[in-house]
Amino acid sequence: MATEVTVPVLGESIVEATVGEWLKQPGDPVKQDEPIVSLETDKVAVEVPSPVAGVMGAHAVQVGDNVAVGALLATVEAGGAAAAPAPTPAPAAAPALAPADTAGQQAPASGDAPAALSPSVRRAVLETGVDPGTVKGTGKDGRITKDDVMAAASTPATPAPSAQPTPTPSVAASTSRKEERVKMTRLRQTVAKRLKEAQNTAAMLTTFNDVDMTAVIEARTKYKDLFEKKHGVRLGFMGFFVKAACMALKDVPAVNGQIDGEEIVYHDYADISVAVSAPQGLVVPVIRDADQLSVAGIEKTIGDFGKRAKDGTLKMDEMKGGTFTISNGGVFGSLMSTPIINPPQSAVLGLHRIEDRPVVRDGQVVVRPMMYLALSYDHRLIDGREAVTFLVALKNAIEDPTRILIDL
């Protein structure tokens, strides 16, 4: 008897998703509650578990298809391995390339089915020419990740011994250029739409400042081992910046507000959205009541977000809301940027890389670890004076972390 697997309820106002990756192929044994397919929504990837134990039946939809809540995804056949469908005999002459994938490109032939690889992994396989059948997966349940493919590509292959030298072909090397079309993920489509709406709606402006990171670096170096031993999490820079931002938001409430129709909404709390990396792109979970948390509490929350973003287990409710956003492009090497507001918020803080630069202190030119700060804001609500005041308050707190302890 076959049990149908359908698209579950995905959350408030979400009625559709995109099939991102099949985790089980027809004929694979399946345990009850074991994930069989990953769906991409506007905000996160959601894994759909099997309602029963048995054998994976036919897929009703393909990777890249849009599916509505309640739509049929696949079936799970009752029974054990004996109930698995008989394998299809291999053709007498195997083609040089595997069938084309959902993006319209041909994937390299290998022991792994192309559908078992996520879109980013398939893209890396196409770009590098690595045979995924030779790659050992380090992801969840042994799945191959993009980093696994890139690592395999950077490892020189050992050529197999040849009994006779291979004659050099006289035909000139191909100069053809290739293109690949990959359907935008639902998350990327939503990000693109929201960012363009922000540009079209807000009177967006960016103001800059720089901050001397000497004091924070010294504090982190001095206490990082004790901090990790006591709290079980590494002491980073984000904890300092979130606390400093919360203090500055109290001094300049407009930066923590938003426009709702003809009204301005001011928040007496700080729910800080933080951008973290996920396999499908950047996601922005929210640290609730960040102004009430300690540096340790903030670092624990961010660490948990980062881990679950990579595992694809962040919940949609954790992405909603937020009164102010911090985006750290410095971890990718960014020197300076103009971040875009995350509506309906009115401001976003961009952090950048730390680099040694000459600065003047007490009449002397010295080298200090400096970082550029960028505050993009909606000029309809926030004046230039308020934006500069916010950045100066943030700068003062980072350059003298004692201010954070005494709330000054």
Side-chain angles (χ1 to χ4, degrees):
M1 182 180 71
T3 300
E4 293 185 345
V5 182
T6 60
V7 180
V9 176
L10 299 169
E12 181 183 355
S13 75
I14 299 179
V15 297
E16 192 179 54
T18 302
V19 180
E21 178 182 3
W22 279 106
L23 308 178
K24 290 291 183 179
Q25 301 304 313
D28 288 350
V30 177
K31 299 177 183 178
Q32 185 173 359
D33 295 328
E34 184 178 13
I36 61 174
V37 63
S38 175
L39 303 178
E40 294 178 355
T41 70
D42 292 351
K43 297 179 179 292
V44 293
V46 178
E47 291 185 343
V48 180
S50 173
V52 296
V55 175
M56 190 68 197
H59 296 166
V61 290
Q62 303 299 317
V63 171
D65 288 352
N66 293 333
V67 289
V69 172
L72 177 66
L73 292 170
T75 58
V76 176
E77 306 290 340
T88 303
L97 292 174
D101 66 8
T102 55
Q105 300 293 322
Q106 288 188 315
S110 70
D112 289 0
L117 305 176
S118 68
S120 61
V121 175
R122 290 201 305 277
R123 189 177 304 116
V125 167
L126 288 169
E127 292 172 353
T128 62
V130 170
D131 181 356
T134 65
V135 178
K136 183 179 180 181
T138 62
K140 186 176 180 181
D141 297 328
R143 280 179 271 164
I144 298 174
T145 67
K146 180 180 178 181
D147 290 340
D148 296 334
V149 175
M150 302 309 293
S154 63
T155 303
T158 304
S162 175
Q164 296 181 350
T166 304
T168 303
S170 58
V171 181
S174 172
T175 58
S176 63
R177 299 185 300 173
K178 297 181 179 179
E179 293 182 349
E180 178 187 8
R181 288 183 180 270
V182 179
K183 184 176 180 179
M184 292 176 69
T185 65
R186 182 167 293 275
L187 175 62
R188 176 53 56 187
Q189 293 178 45
T190 301
V191 169
K193 180 180 177 181
R194 287 174 59 83
L195 293 182
K196 189 57 184 173
E197 287 177 350
Q199 288 184 318
N200 293 340
T201 302
M204 199 148 51
L205 184 64
T206 303
T207 187
F208 300 92
N209 211 321
D210 62 0
V211 58
D212 186 340
M213 296 292 291
T214 300
V216 166
I217 290 175
E218 290 177 350
R220 181 174 180 268
T221 302
K222 183 176 181 179
Y223 295 112
K224 64 180 181 179
D225 293 336
L226 290 174
F227 185 90
E228 185 171 2
K229 182 178 180 180
K230 179 175 181 179
H231 300 291
V233 65
R234 294 180 61 189
L235 176 59
F237 296 123
M238 282 297 288
F240 291 98
F241 275 102
V242 171
K243 287 299 293 184
C246 290
M247 293 172 55
L249 291 174
K250 290 182 179 179
D251 292 342
V252 191
V255 181
N256 199 40
Q258 67 184 62
I259 294 176
D260 184 9
E262 297 182 352
E263 298 179 330
I264 299 175
V265 180
Y266 293 101
H267 305 99
D268 65 353
Y269 55 88
D271 286 351
I272 306 298
S273 303
V274 289
V276 297
S277 294
Q280 69 271 28
L282 285 177
V283 293
V284 191
V286 180
I287 306 174
R288 308 289 178 190
D289 296 314
D291 53 318
Q292 304 298 319
L293 296 177
S294 64
V295 171
I298 292 169
E299 291 288 1
K300 287 180 180 179
T301 303
I302 295 175
D304 177 60
F305 283 158
K307 180 178 182 300
R308 290 192 291 120
K310 291 180 180 178
D311 293 341
T313 57
L314 279 174
K315 299 177 182 178
M316 279 170 285
D317 286 344
E318 294 173 311
M319 312 284 208
K320 296 178 181 178
T323 60
F324 181 76
T325 294
I326 299 178
S327 179
N328 186 7
V331 297
F332 304 109
S334 171
L335 174 65
M336 187 178 293
S337 68
T338 56
I340 299 178
I341 297 168
N342 180 22
Q345 298 173 20
S346 296
V348 53
L349 174 68
L351 308 181
H352 302 90
R353 75 172 184 249
I354 302 169
E355 63 177 7
D356 289 340
R357 291 201 298 270
V359 295
V360 177
R361 296 289 184 268
D362 299 324
Q364 300 293 322
V365 176
V366 295
V367 175
R368 292 291 175 86
M370 304 296 293
M371 175 195 288
Y372 286 117
L373 306 175
L375 182 75
S376 292
Y377 57 97
D378 189 343
H379 212 343
R380 298 177 301 164
L381 171 60
I382 303 167
D383 294 330
R385 175 183 60 83
E386 293 171 313
V388 172
T389 301
F390 173 88
L391 277 183
V392 170
L394 182 76
K395 171 184 172 74
N396 290 339
I398 294 298
E399 293 187 342
D400 184 6
T402 305
R403 289 173 173 265
I404 297 176
L405 297 178
I406 61 177
D407 193 16
L408 182 60

